[in-house]
Structures are given as structure tokens and as C-alpha cells.
Amino acid sequence: MSTNAERFYERHAESLRAAGLACRERSYFTLFPETPDRHRGGAAAAEAGAAAYRSLLGRPFELDQPGTIGRIGAEVSPYTLEALGIDYPLADPDRLFAAARDAMGRWAAATPQARLGTCMEIVDRLYGGVFETAQAVMHTAGQSGPMSYAGSGTNALDRGVEALAYAQAALLDVPVEALWERRFGSATIRLRKRYRLVPRGVAACFACATFPTWNAYPAMLASLATGNAVIVKPHPTAILPMALAVRTCRAVLAEAGFAPDLVTLCLDSAEAPVGKILVKHPQTAIVDFTGSARFGAWVEANAHPALCYSETSGVNTVVVESVTALEPVLKSLATTMSLFSAQMCTSPLNVYLPRDGVRHAGGRIGADEFAAALAQAIAAIAADPQRAAPIMAAIQSPATPALIDQIAADAGRRGRVLQASAPYAHPEFPRARTRTPLLVAVDAGARDLYGEERFGPIGFVITTEDRDAALAEAAADARAGGGITAFVYSTDEEYLERAESAYSAAGAQLTCNLTGPMPLNFAAAYSDYHVTGLNPAGNATLTDLAFVASRFRITQSRSPVS
Amino acid sequence: MSTNAERFYERHAESLRAAGLACRERSYFTLFPETPDRHRGGAAAAEAGAAAYRSLLGRPFELDQPGTIGRIGAEVSPYTLEALGIDYPLADPDRLFAAARDAMGRWAAATPQARLGTCMEIVDRLYGGVFETAQAVMHTAGQSGPMSYAGSGTNALDRGVEALAYAQAALLDVPVEALWERRFGSATIRLRKRYRLVPRGVAACFACATFPTWNAYPAMLASLATGNAVIVKPHPTAILPMALAVRTCRAVLAEAGFAPDLVTLCLDSAEAPVGKILVKHPQTAIVDFTGSARFGAWVEANAHPALCYSETSGVNTVVVESVTALEPVLKSLATTMSLFSAQMCTSPLNVYLPRDGVRHAGGRIGADEFAAALAQAIAAIAADPQRAAPIMAAIQSPATPALIDQIAADAGRRGRVLQASAPYAHPEFPRARTRTPLLVAVDAGARDLYGEERFGPIGFVITTEDRDAALAEAAADARAGGGITAFVYSTDEEYLERAESAYSAAGAQLTCNLTGPMPLNFAAAYSDYHVTGLNPAGNATLTDLAFVASRFRITQSRSPVS
């Protein structure tokens, strides 16, 4: 074990132990306070991070990795609509694979502790630079400042530590050696057995455009801790957050005495995509994919012989059957459907209502009336830019407004537009690409519109025959289209029990009767299992043993001892 | 939890706990003594088992499962060359899948303890019937009596319990529920979270012809314990051992209060194979495959979206560099290369020698001389039917003698036949299909002959440039062709270290300098990891966490609590 790596493990062993305990108890735990004012670096860290981000703009990004054959980069801030002006090394994939393989020898031979310690130190450094990363996420993904810091910063780092805690459990499940003894006939055979943990090889980690770090940190760290190398492939419109992560990984690996080429950046453009090349590369042993359902399905079907861990779309459904008080439910739904303009894989999108409406403490509200009230609650956020900005943030892709308009036109013909989508004036960034949520009312005949994820602030209210149909259709759509999250409001315990079973069968994680300040779709590291693998939303869970246990293999040798 | 299943768990919890401890320590452990005389049922059990086997012959096998559309079965004993005369239900696969899905609801909803208890009771009943199973294995696979009892009986059951111990660890890693609490702004959110373990679906388990139970028991039990149903697909020439297992599973499941259709038997013939139909069936969620490298490669590439766990061929290599004493090495090699006529996926096949021979305490023996001595040691076994019978047993497939003769003819042109293969007269079964091992000498130019598994008693001695070439070529052939086991003899510690690294990289489990009464290829449950997944010999390991952790998924629901 290298001295530095050993020191890293000693420094972080207690945090990792506590994280592992939290994973088994699934109770609240964090290593990183979620609000910037509690960062260990204080206000100075925030200022330094913002300055560091500004200093990156308009110049080449320094990343000393092998195989560079050019420069690439055309990111545009969704907030300013200005080019970031950063270019990055464009790599020859073959040379990244070759460098990764060269780098893997010592890394694979290191103890699990040395690798885990190094990975924890990477996390710690990323936390040190979280303000810079948050700015990078904000100006590529379009997230709000608070979400960039918490969701893409601290929570993503916690998910990374969670993956390391599972990796530690799986790695340490295999002893270093054993003494085995038994009799064969009149003789006693005593064998000393030594076990080695052998990584799969090179992992290709695809990060998405809207939430790059949240899935990529756990995937990268799970692969690294189990001895693999990682080639990181960001979305071409959101490179910077992952470039910063790759640079940090390389620096810490070098400091720990390992080859930095264990982590490299592989970029492409929409015109010349490298994704399929990475997936089908003969040296690719693991693919972690976060992105579109369409390409994700291709990756899942074509990754063999590489392992594939995917998260793609989210057809996330809401059933409102009965409530105690309407107002808190409407407020929570409107807020969460507006949050980051529904550009999260966990955003609720489709609201299913019984035709005869929703019971509440004061009586019953008709389905149309409930839908109108939900539209009104969204409109109330949209109408106030000071309130809208931290919730809705910006629209990542220039393609999204066109999609919104197309769905609005379709829905106008086949249903009703309850709430039109329009830009709102961001108080801080007047040129920001913004859109308030579109909310349309349709019936079950329009499943071609709402049965697959329509990425962006596009919500549907679907009126169904009755409460049983609402639940059955919502769960069936989650099963068929791929739901990650699901939400049910009911005061009927029996109905809730049925909902729990229906969504369990559909493979969507259910939240019941939640109101209040927590976003309905908040997924807590160490506690909430993210993605079940039981429907088309993806095949991998953050984080369970299955996410880590196959990333390495076991070899052994045995010899007689006297 | 059903009362009976609960009782089963209570009965076996301590055994399962001890097995789990053994898995983590990898020390010697067994629940089932390996010699018939120590069976809990005493001599009466042996007699009853033999009688039970005889009573099966010449009549329909009673198996009351759904979807029967005919009868099938044409097994022939390799010992008597007589038809067993047993026919079995021929099932419509679609109806087996439908029945399995129907049966899964209650099984999936049961507690892990109820399922684990039921599975342990299945193991216990199989142990109760081990004499009958041993006879069935002997007269289908052609194993010797002792191997049928130990290898296909008690050791296979231990491997099954090992899989259950890992399943228990993975299942219990997920808590039933959690209380999660944190502040959002000025409010405290408290959520009760409930987690469910959800099986993947229906598993198709392919058993091979020569060692049906050893891989199938762990696969079936791992799938069952994690809530899945299993359709068992035996090789058409070795149905009976698996039919007995299926019948036992169904009886215990029913007794535990679950639907017996969780385990069914799906048969076919060489003329109308059902394998690809099972692998590509839309309801197939898991495939466990043991069988040929050719079909195995197809299964691995085509199982998606089902999970695939495979074990195929074994290009198992031996390097003899230097020894203390020649005689024990030659004896161990000759015996293990003769064991069950090398029809084990772990049988050593290719012996690599340095051109300048093998050092030993008394000097140096030339490569040709060593090869001749090895042939002589094999001939000594072959020449004595009383000694040959319990070691070599019978040849499972009528195709094997022709393959032996073809390789002998090829090798005669391109190398030298060191030891010709011939039938030996089995003292107990004069009509038995037997063949003594063929041993041929070739050089590295004949890799097309020895670079892939030649199933049966076909050994190669390959003379290489020097000791470094011997190791390099042997490890490279194991890597390329798929080695499960590997064997090195050297008195040079530095050479052994290099061998350990080379075979670890090649993905073959190494045994160094072993002599004495233990078969060189003996793989101990709870201690030896079988198959690494790092070369074409298969992708699954018996048993690690990865073998079980992906067979189920996790869903959750969460609700506010005050």
C-alpha cells in the first residue's frame, strides 16, 4: 500500500464505516451539509469557487491526459446563452483505452483499503471544489444555484460515498487468504488459499446533460474502488462538471502514487458521436449509462460482453384519489412539477385523476376542477419571477422549447391546454432560456403523448374512469414506459396498500401523501433506492450490492502447507 | 410467513448461519459427510435409495406438473448401454412460464426467511434421497459410484447451501423498513420507508450431461431464495437426476404452503431442442447455463434482457517446471487426468513442459522422458480394471469415443501418441462404455488441436521453448480458450509468484505443487471460488455475492409519519 493511499484510508475510514452503517439502516446520513453557508471553507470558499469558475471561461481547459488529437468544446450557458468559450482535449479513444490498461496494473494490485482511501480522498477534494462545480453545473445543465450546490454537489457526493460503502462491503466479503484442511482417506490435506480481487477492466461512464454528476460520481467511484479504470464520456453540452471531476480524480490518483490515466475524459460532438464506439470497444468491460431512453435501450442491448448499468427515462406518475387538505397537495405537486422545469429523471409528469374527482375533508372536488387548481398553482409560481427562478431554473437544451410547443399543439387538438408554457423573465439572467410548465388535460386515448417521457416541463392530467382505473393505468404506464418515481395521495389505507403493491410490481419507487417543504422527488443517499431495474427506466439501482458486486472478479491460488 | 416455512427456517437457521460464516472465512465446512457410510440413514438408506432407483426404471416418471403435451425420454445408461426406459412429461414451455408466473406471487411476498427455510428443507430432502440421486447420476452421466455420491450428491448440496448463504447475506442487507428524518428549512420531515425485495421473474436453469447437479443446485436455489421461479432444462441424456430434484422441490414447496409450479421440468430432444426458445422467451428473466462452449457463447450473447450466468468449457492447463520428487507428481497428474475420464470442467488436459525438461531432487528429467513417464502412470491405472473403474468410470456420450479416435489420428500425423485410448473392461458392468485416456505429444504449432476443450479423456503434452514459454503459453491458452483450473509444479518461489499472477490475469484458479490423495481438481464448497468470469469458461462464480445480488431487485414506498 502506498503511503499516501494508506493515509487517505486512515483519514476517511470512519466516514466510510458510518456510511456503510447508514446504508444498512437506511436512516438519515450525510457527510456534506447541503447549504453553502455550512461549507467547511466558509464564505471564502464560495468566493474562491466562483472566481475559479470565472477563470475557466474563454480559454483552454488544462487537462494533461494522453491521446489528445485536437480540441473540442461548444458549451453554452442556458442562463446567458453565451458560449463558455472553453475547449478541452479531444482524445483518440484507442489511446485512452491503452493508457487505462497500462495504468490498471498497480491499481488492481493495491489493497481495497488503498483504493477506497484514494476514492474517499477524491470525494473530499470534490467537496472542496464544490462551489466551482456548482457554477459549472449551473451554466451547462441550467440548474438553479441551490440545486447545483446541493443536488449536483453534496447529494451527488453522498451518493458517491454510498457506492464506496457498498464497494467496501463487497470487496471485504472476500478474505485475503484462508487455511483449509480436511482428511482424504488416511491423509490430511492442508492448503493455504490466497484470493485476489481482479477488476473487470475499463469502464465507460456516460454522464447526462441535465444532472451529470449525480449518477456519474457513484458509477465512477464504484468502478474505481473495485480496481477498474474509467473513461468518462460527458454529454457534449455539459462537459465542464465532468472535466473538473476527471481533473480532480487524476490529481488525487497521482498523489496517492497511482497512474492518473485511470481516469480520462473522452469527448465528442453531436455531429461525430463516440458513444457507440465506446460501448462496442473490445476493451470496454463496464458501461455506466445515464441518458436518453432511446440510446439507453441500444446500450443495454449492445453492451455485451461488457456489463451495463443504465438509467434512462422516467415516466413518473401521480395518482390523486383523496386528500385531507387540498392546498398542501396542490402546492407540493405544482412545486415539484416545476422544479428544475421537470428536467429530472424523478420529476412527476403524469397526474391521474378519477373521473368523479378527489375526496377531501371538505367534500369532493371534480377532476376538471382539481386540474384547474393544479394549473393555477403552477401559474402562481410562474407569475412571480422571484419565486420561479430558484424553482424552475433554466432549460438545458434548445430543443426543449420546440418540444413543449409541439406537445401543446398536439394536446390542443386532442385535449385541453390547462396551463400554457411561456418564458419567464429570470431576475438575474435576463437572457436565460426559460419556460414555465405546460400542463395539458387528456384522456387515456392520448397515451401516445404521455406514455413515454417528454423531457422538459410538460405535465399531463389524465382523467380515468374511477379510482381503480387511475391506479391501474398509472402503474401500467410506469411499468411500460419506465417510471422511476410515483406519487399517490389517498386517505384510504386499503387503497394505499394496493398502490404500494401496484407500484412495486411496476418497479417505481412510491411516495405517499407527502406535502411540505421537501421536494416530492427528493432522493436521499444512503436511504432511497434510486431506480429498480424492473421497468425500462434503467437496470441499475443507486445503490445496492448488485451495483458493485459484479464490477470485480475473484481469482485464487492454493498450495499445500505443512 | 407460513407456519411450515417458518418451521423450516427455524430448523435450518443455525446451519445457514454456520455456512455463511464459512463463506466469509473460506475454511473447511460441510453439512454433509462425503462417504455413504456416514449418511444419517445408515445402510438402510443406501439400500432404500438403490431400490428406489430401480423402481423408477422402465416406467413413466411421476411428475404432476402443468402443461404436459406428451411424454419424452430416451436415456441410456453408460454402464449397461440399456435404455432406462423412463419417460417424463413433455411440457409446453408457454404453459410452464404461465404457471410459474402464477405461482410467484405468494413466493415473492414471503419473507426471505420463509424462502430460505424452504430452500434449506429442499436441500435436506435431497440429502435424504442422495442415494437415489447418485444412482441416477451414475446411470446417466456415467460417474463412478463414489463420485455420484460425493461430487454429485453431498458436494453439490454443499454448493447449494453456499448459494443460499450468499442469498441470505444479500437479502438481509436490505432492511424491511427505516425511519428517516431531516430538516428542510424550518420543517422536519419524517418518513417511514418500507422496502420490498422483488424477484426478477422466471429463471431457466440448464443442467449439463456429465455433472448435472453440481451447477444446477446452486443456481436453482439462488433463484428460488431470491423469490424467482425456476424452469429446469436438463440435457436430454441426463434427465433423471434433475427430474428427481424437481419433484423434491415441488413437494417441499407445497408442504411449505407455496405453489409447486415454482419449479418445473422442461424437456427436449437433440432433434427438437428447446434451449433457444427458453433463452429468448419473453418471460425469461434469468438464465443459468452449464454446457458446451459453443451454445454457451450463444446464450451469453443472446440472453439479454435476461441475466445470464454461465459455465462452459475448461481449457485446463498444467505447467511442470521443477519438482522435489517425480513420482507423487506423476501419480497425481495421471490420476486426476483419468478421473471420470476427464469429463469434468475442472479436469487438467494440457501439460506444458520446458524443452530442457523438469528439474527434480535427483537431477533433471527430459521433456520426452517426463511425458513418457506420465503416459506410463496413466497406463498403469488403465491396465488394472479394478483400479481404473472407480477412477475412470464410464464415458457419458457415444460421440466421445469417435472424438478420441479423431484426435488420435490428427495427433498421429502432427505429433506422437504417447498413450493410446482403448476401452477397459469394467469389472462390474461388462458392457460399460469406457475409454482409457488418450495422451498425445504435440508442439505449440498444434494449438488448433489443444487450444479448445476436447471433451473427454484427451490429454496433450506440449513441449515449449523453456520454462518461461511454458508458463506464458499455458496461461495464454487458458485466457483464450477458457481455463477454469490450472496447475503448476515448481520448487522456485519466484516462478510460483509469477505463475500466480499469470493465471490470475488468465482467470484460471491455480493449484500449486499439490500431490497426494486429494484429486488435483477438487473444488471445495465454501472455500474454492469456481470459475472467475475472466475468460471464456463462463461468466459466473460459485459462489460470490455477484452470483446472487442481481437475482432480485428492491422497491420502496415512503410516507410521512408524525
Side-chain angles (χ1 to χ4, degrees), chain A residues 259-280:
Chain A
D261 294 343
L262 288 163
V263 181
T264 55
L265 190 67
C266 188
L267 300 180
D268 64 355
S269 61
E271 297 72 40
V274 76
K276 290 188 177 182
I277 293 167
L278 291 180
V279 171
K280 294 309 292 178

Side-chain angles (χ1 to χ4, degrees), chain B residues 147 316-320 328-344 346-353 370-371 373-379 381-382 388 391-393 395 404 418-419 421 435-441 450 454-462 485 487 489 518-522:
Chain B
M147 182 180 282
N316 301 319
T317 57
V318 183
V319 176
V320 187
V329 173
L330 290 166
K331 186 176 176 192
S332 273
L333 276 177
T335 306
T336 306
M337 292 177 80
S338 300
L339 190 63
F340 187 25
S341 296
Q343 297 170 105
M344 302 164 80
T346 52
S347 298
L349 299 171
N350 296 356
V351 181
Y352 298 74
L353 300 174
F370 183 93
L374 178 60
Q376 178 53 40
I378 292 171
I381 301 170
I391 295 175
M392 296 179 184
I395 300 291
I404 298 169
L418 298 167
Q419 170 71 18
S421 170
R435 272 306 193 92
T436 61
L438 170 71
L439 190 68
V440 301
Y450 64 79
R454 302 298 186 172
F455 197 78
I458 302 170
F460 295 91
V461 177
I462 302 133
T485 57
F487 309 87
Y489 291 90
M518 181 175 117
L520 297 175
N521 62 343
F522 180 82

Side-chain angles (χ1 to χ4, degrees), chain A residues 205-276:
Chain A
C205 176
F206 290 73
C208 73
T210 47
F211 241 107
T213 62
W214 205 83
N215 293 74
Y217 284 173
M220 292 169 66
L221 292 163
S223 284
L224 280 175
T226 49
N228 305 281
V230 182
I231 296 176
V232 178
K233 158 63 184 88
H235 193 276
T237 62
I239 299 169
L240 187 54
M242 299 319 300
L244 290 167
V246 167
R247 193 158 74 180
T248 299
C249 288
R250 293 174 60 86
V252 176
L253 285 163
E255 206 174 310
F258 298 103
D261 294 343
L262 288 163
V263 181
T264 55
L265 190 67
C266 188
L267 300 180
D268 64 355
S269 61
E271 297 72 40
V274 76
K276 290 188 177 182

Side-chain angles (χ1 to χ4, degrees), chain B residues 115-180:
Chain B
R115 291 198 302 263
L116 289 161
T118 304
C119 288
M120 284 294 286
E121 182 67 15
I122 288 171
V123 171
D124 194 64
R125 301 287 174 92
L126 289 171
Y127 180 59
V130 66
F131 288 103
E132 187 180 10
T133 298
Q135 287 289 309
V137 169
M138 192 174 163
H139 286 288
T140 52
Q143 292 179 15
S144 70
M147 182 180 282
S148 297
Y149 185 87
S152 295
T154 58
N155 298 353
L157 290 168
D158 269 324
R159 288 243 94 129
V161 173
E162 182 187 21
L164 291 176
Y166 278 97
Q168 170 155 289
L171 292 165
L172 300 190
D173 189 67
V174 181
V176 173
E177 63 174 42
L179 187 66
W180 182 90

Side-chain angles (χ1 to χ4, degrees), chain B residues 15 50 83 95 107 116 143 149 211 233 260-261 273 286 290 292 329 353 363 391 403 437 479 489 530 549:
Chain B
S15 294
R95 288 168 65 190
W107 184 241
L116 289 161
Q143 292 179 15
Y149 185 87
F211 240 107
K233 158 66 183 87
D261 294 345
I286 300 170
T290 313
S292 73
V329 173
L353 300 174
I391 295 175
L403 176 67
R479 174 73 190 79
Y489 291 90
H530 176 74

